[in-house]
Amino acid sequence: MNGFIVENGGLQSSIQDAGRKGFSDIGLTQSGAMDELAFGYANFLVGNPFNTAAIEIALGGASFRAKSEICIAICGANMQPTCNGHSIALWQTYQLRRGDVISFGFANEGQFTYIAVAGGFQTPFAYGSYSTSLKEGLGGIEGRKLKSGDILPTLGARCPVDRRKLERKFIPKYPETITLRLLKGYQETMFDAQAQETFFNSTYTFKGEGDRMGYRLSGEKVIPSATGILSEPICYGAVQVPSHGEPIVLLKERQTIGGYPKIGSVIAVDCFRLAQLKAGGKVRFKEVSIEEAQRATKAFYAFFKEQEA
Amino acid sequence: MSRRYQIASELSVIVYFGNTIDPLISKEVQKAYQALKANALEEFYEIIPSYASLMVSYDVIRFDFHEVCERIEKVIHHAEEITMSEPKIVTIPVYYGLEVGLDLELLAYEKNLSVEEIIALHTQELYSVYAIGFAPGFAYLGEIDERLATSRLANPRKVVPKGSVAIADRQSAVYPTQSPGGWKILGRTPTSMFDASYDGLSLLHVGDQVRYEPISKEEFLRLGGVL
């Protein structure tokens, strides 16, 4: 068999691709890589199409043993990866031999790291995706986080390009303070001028209250003028504000429908940056136009599409 | 009926058909949903219907906001001819004991009703399935008697047990799996709402009708319910 055996699943590792599409109408969450940028680069480095299943390691502590020759790339938070005890670099390809063990410590900056393998992981395909939805127990390996003994089969073996390395200028940083571009929502009228001013002029703290579903931010309260709206579909990045007044940014494993007022939506490429924010990190919001929002997100996907061509 | 197109995000547009729970509005949403599903599946990532709105997620490389609105309007415009089938009626057994009806006493206090009166009001209606969402198989049912109408919890629960039968505003629903949630909980059902063995994965589908049937603790346990 080509592939990995999970020696230690760490705090929370799971199989993810870019997410589940087309099942939201029966309530299945989108799921997928929390940071599509690091995920995309990992796949790019090993010569995979953008949407190829990879391992997502949250926080750290995981280790894997190669059952065959495998070409890998590790991108995202620096969890000080080692191969047989020797440090290995992120943001480049690495050729593993049969029996090699790669291990991860804990991230000092960022939250998520991706391991892509040439050819991708051939784990079960569920509802149109390889992604694991942990909350719902669907997809991936039995819908759960990876644990010791799990087998992750792969196709590829040798690296497509000898030591492909990401140019330094492309390597993202994971600062402790970030500004998120927000497209104001259709429920903005439920937030009066003062509430909006508070929202855009405050610095929020991510205290670690959150998971793949969404991140709750603490700080100045933004009180909507009504407690609920008629339940309606929720998009990626939606910032909902329950009556406790603290904004929640909804991410990959969000519910598909909800009834809390929304002040707007954080654009996708900034949601990827938010996903990497560590507990204690600070967030500010900045309003953006639809044209600018679409330009930014379009550029992101067009970049990866070009790499595939 | 007039439709309103609004930006939800840079990747999705929401179309409003109205802003109330109304069987006629819901029918418009369902027709538009079916037409979009049938004609435009390749172009859109997601088409999610709800009570009075429908959201479409799209490829930002292919469409800008104005182009996508025009495309959707063109498809929906032809949806008028779709004929809807007769609703299926599904009975859901519910155990309304205080150990599973976590908010029964709170609601009784708020509404100045007895627990028995709450159960009677909750089981007397034939509800319509207006939307599926929030979680796999989570069906939004309307409308509960206005004497039961209630706000969501100010601080949502981090853990709502699987099978919890709950209400919020004038809606009712069953939590298909353990999840966070802010609706007030009246009881628990042993019936699975979402299962890979079900046709279409979900017990309920938009357009179906539901009746809650009160059962004893013994019956709940016999049917596989978990306390």
Side-chain angles (χ1 to χ4, degrees):
Chain A
M1 181 209 80
N2 285 326
F4 277 160
I5 297 245
V6 179
E7 297 242 303
N8 186 343
L11 287 179
Q12 182 184 292
S13 304
S14 62
I15 296 289
Q16 299 293 341
D17 59 18
R20 190 158 277 122
K21 292 191 168 86
F23 290 91
S24 295
D25 52 352
I26 51 165
L28 264 68
T29 188
Q30 173 191 6
S31 207
M34 284 289 277
D35 176 8
E36 289 189 29
L37 180 64
F39 164 84
Y41 281 146
N43 274 318
F44 158 70
L45 288 170
V46 297
N48 289 339
F50 176 73
N51 190 15
T52 303
I55 298 172
E56 176 180 277
I57 304 174
L59 304 167
S63 60
F64 307 89
R65 179 184 295 273
K67 290 294 283 177
S68 58
E69 282 205 332
I70 307 174
C71 170
I72 66 162
I74 299 166
C75 293
N78 188 351
M79 298 173 182
Q80 287 91 39
T82 58
C83 178
N84 304 329
H86 302 287
S87 288
I88 53 173
L90 283 81
W91 312 103
Q92 65 172 56
T93 58
Y94 201 85
Q95 185 72 40
L96 298 182
R97 291 156 306 171
R98 183 186 158 93
D100 282 352
V101 175
I102 49 166
S103 301
F104 295 81
F106 293 92
N108 47 16
E109 55 168 22
Q111 297 250 72
F112 294 96
T113 291
Y114 296 86
I115 311 172
V117 298
F121 289 102
Q122 305 297 307
T123 47
F125 194 69
Y127 310 113
S129 168
Y130 289 98
S131 285
T132 315
S133 298
L134 295 166
K135 176 170 57 92
E136 294 164 3
L138 295 170
I141 306 291
E142 298 166 353
R144 55 165 170 75
K145 57 188 187 181
L146 298 177
K147 65 177 190 197
S148 170
D150 283 344
I151 293 171
L152 310 175
T154 67
L155 283 182
R158 294 221 66 89
C159 292
V161 181
D162 196 34
R163 287 187 73 78
R164 193 189 272 200
K165 210 170 167 178
L166 194 68
E167 278 183 63
R168 205 185 181 90
K169 65 176 180 188
F170 289 122
I171 297 175
K173 292 197 167 47
Y174 303 119
E176 281 166 23
T177 301
I178 56 174
T179 299
L180 303 175
R181 285 167 287 181
L182 178 124
L183 203 50
K184 268 214 254 181
Y186 33 91
Q187 279 137 28
E188 63 164 294
T189 51
M190 293 183 76
F191 301 89
D192 63 23
Q194 200 191 331
Q196 291 198 35
E197 201 185 309
T198 303
F199 179 76
F200 285 108
N201 289 314
S202 298
T203 300
Y204 289 94
T205 305
F206 173 52
K207 289 185 179 166
E209 288 180 273
D211 51 23
R212 290 178 40 83
M213 188 175 171
Y215 286 5
R216 175 167 165 176
L217 303 173
S218 303
E220 289 287 326
K221 296 195 185 334
V222 179
I223 308 295
S225 58
T227 50
I229 52 163
L230 194 56
S231 288
E232 62 178 33
I234 297 178
C235 61
Y236 181 54
V239 182
Q240 70 176 27
V241 188
S243 47
H244 57 55
E246 293 192 326
I248 300 169
V249 185
L250 294 165
L251 299 170
K252 286 298 183 74
E253 237 172 272
R254 70 194 174 280
Q255 64 275 36
T256 56
I257 286 184
Y260 289 115
K262 295 176 282 290
I263 199 164
S265 297
V266 173
I267 70 173
V269 289
D270 287 0
C271 288
F272 306 155
R273 297 193 302 123
L274 173 63
Q276 292 285 12
L277 193 70
K278 275 179 86 85
K282 309 278 184 203
V283 174
R284 289 184 71 86
F285 293 96
K286 180 186 138 194
E287 193 186 346
V288 76
S289 69
I290 179 72
E291 290 78 17
E292 195 183 333
Q294 292 200 317
R295 209 179 304 130
T297 296
K298 187 174 171 173
F300 176 88
Y301 288 108
F303 171 82
F304 284 105
K305 207 169 185 175
E306 261 169 47
Q307 309 306 318
E308 288 176 24
Chain B
M1 217 172 273
S2 77
R3 287 179 282 270
R4 214 157 45 84
Y5 288 76
Q6 301 265 293
I7 294 164
S9 75
E10 83 280 23
L11 297 167
S12 48
V13 50
I14 188 160
V15 189
Y16 288 100
F17 294 74
N19 56 11
T20 51
I21 297 178
D22 177 330
L24 289 175
I25 292 171
S26 173
K27 200 152 272 180
E28 292 300 312
V29 174
Q30 287 175 49
K31 283 183 178 181
Y33 165 64
Q34 287 184 8
L36 285 164
K37 269 274 214 203
N39 293 302
L41 203 57
E42 291 297 305
E43 299 175 20
F44 305 130
Y45 294 144
E46 303 288 354
I47 306 157
I48 315 177
S50 188
Y51 291 100
S53 63
L54 180 147
M55 193 174 80
V56 177
S57 296
Y58 57 95
D59 182 350
V60 73
I61 295 181
R62 199 160 161 182
F63 300 104
D64 70 22
F65 178 68
H66 298 287
E67 287 163 350
V68 90
C69 294
E70 278 173 24
R71 180 76 189 97
I72 294 167
E73 182 58 31
K74 209 178 252 179
V75 177
I76 293 182
H77 191 73
H78 295 290
E80 308 293 327
E81 300 125 40
I82 291 178
T83 45
M84 310 293 287
S85 50
E86 275 294 300
K88 186 177 85 176
I89 297 176
V90 181
T91 300
I92 295 178
V94 183
Y95 169 49
Y96 290 93
L98 289 180
E99 74 267 52
V100 291
L102 306 176
D103 297 311
L104 269 175
E105 284 180 313
L106 169 73
L107 195 71
Y109 173 77
E110 274 179 6
K111 298 290 167 189
N112 202 17
L113 293 167
S114 68
V115 166
E116 291 69 30
E117 285 169 323
I118 291 173
I119 297 167
L121 288 171
H122 191 242
T123 51
Q124 76 183 6
E125 304 286 333
L126 183 61
Y127 300 98
S128 293
V129 179
Y130 282 99
I132 309 280
F134 175 68
F138 186 103
Y140 290 81
L141 310 176
E143 283 189 299
I144 59 168
D145 190 286
E146 64 184 328
R147 281 166 286 178
L148 289 183
T150 182
S151 61
R152 290 169 175 75
L153 298 170
N155 219 342
R157 281 191 174 87
K158 290 203 167 84
V159 175
V160 173
K162 177 182 174 173
S164 289
V165 176
I167 60 172
D169 306 325
R170 292 190 61 189
Q171 314 166 82
S172 183
V174 178
Y175 282 84
T177 54
Q178 180 180 298
S179 72
W183 291 29
K184 288 183 182 141
I185 302 168
L186 307 188
R188 200 176 292 175
T189 181
T191 303
S192 285
M193 303 305 288
F194 183 84
D195 197 301
S197 68
Y198 291 157
D199 179 34
L201 305 170
S202 177
L203 174 70
L204 301 174
H205 294 93
V206 172
D208 288 349
Q209 293 188 323
V210 171
R211 195 181 286 287
Y212 291 119
E213 183 188 44
I215 55 170
S216 65
K217 185 172 182 171
E218 291 69 32
E219 185 69 355
F220 173 75
L221 295 170
R222 194 184 64 76
L223 291 169
V226 178
L227 292 174

